[in-house]
Amino acid sequence: AQSVAQPEDQVNVAEGNPLTVKCTYSVSGNPYLFWYVQYPNRGLQFLLKYITGDNLVKGSYGFEAEFNKSQTSFHLKKPSALVSDSALYFCAVRDDTGRRALTFGSGTRLQVQP
Amino acid sequence: ETGVTQTPRHLVMGMTNKKSLKCEQHLGHNAMYWYKQSAKKPLELMFVYNFKEQTENNSVPSRFSPECPNSSHLFLHLHTLQPEDSALYLCASSVGQNYGYTFGSGTRLTVV
């Protein structure tokens, strides 16, 4: 079985401050990890992924995520938050067999205050 | 637009109605998915199709019936739904197992 936990329903941060959105996962074998963002009345948009290689992955809009195998975590980060980053963020995982579709977390709402 | 188009954007239906949701992609992807998004819950995978063949059915009630006539089109036929089926239904597609999904904007379904 594979699962994702996003422990925070909401994260609040001031514009210009660094942000972190947490994600932990459980999967058999090696994980393929993804972050998506959802703006109001829209579908999910791909931000970044980790398949293999460097543990620090860089993605769209200045976001990055760090894969930590020992802690089974894949936290999303950005050095300086923008008001326009306010949205719903989803972490997703699947195993490396290719036989399962992505399993998503429940989402974390990011609010960036001006 | 992402390249995955879902229609209609909004749908209100009675519990005795029959309606269909449509998803279309011309990205050359070979896999298509239906997900259900309810407030404060994880996205729920409903169905997966690979090269038109259903490869996953996540214990979805039979009142939801998928159809994939070709690799570019995916339908979700709805019949005698319940109010708790009200949600945002998202379609996605992908080119292969190592790639992320491209999502449509979803159909907001309200069952009255």
Side-chain angles (χ1 to χ4, degrees), chain A:
Chain A
Q2 54 192 37
S3 64
V4 174
Q6 293 182 243
E8 303 154 317
D9 286 341
Q10 181 156 321
V11 169
N12 297 308
V13 64
E15 187 174 31
N17 284 1
L19 69 88
T20 298
V21 182
K22 296 179 181 177
C23 170
T24 58
Y25 66 89
S26 174
V27 70
S28 300
N30 295 314
Y32 288 2
L33 293 153
F34 299 81
W35 275 101
Y36 287 82
V37 60
Q38 185 179 33
Y39 297 100
N41 302 312
R42 302 295 299 273
L44 277 67
Q45 297 177 34
F46 171 78
L47 270 181
L48 52 78
K49 67 179 178 182
Y50 171 83
I51 304 296
T52 186
D54 195 349
N55 289 346
L56 185 64
V57 178
K58 295 189 183 296
S60 307
Y61 312 119
F63 283 94
E64 58 190 26
E66 185 165 14
F67 170 62
N68 187 317
K69 188 172 183 177
S70 62
Q71 296 185 4
T72 61
S73 67
F74 190 56
H75 300 331
L76 181 70
K77 300 181 180 185
K78 187 173 182 181
S80 178
L82 300 173
V83 172
S84 56
D85 293 330
S86 299
L88 191 56
Y89 290 81
F90 290 92
C91 182
V93 69
R94 67 165 182 84
D95 63 29
D96 60 354
T97 65
R99 290 196 293 267
R100 297 290 306 279
L102 284 177
T103 295
F104 286 82
S106 55
T108 298
R109 185 163 300 282
L110 173 66
Q111 290 280 9
V112 181
Q113 282 110 15

Side-chain angles (χ1 to χ4, degrees), chain B residues 42-54:
Chain B
L43 266 70
E44 299 173 51
L45 177 67
M46 301 177 73
F47 302 103
V48 181
Y49 279 82
N50 250 309
F51 294 102
K52 304 189 300 178
E53 299 298 321
Q54 187 180 118

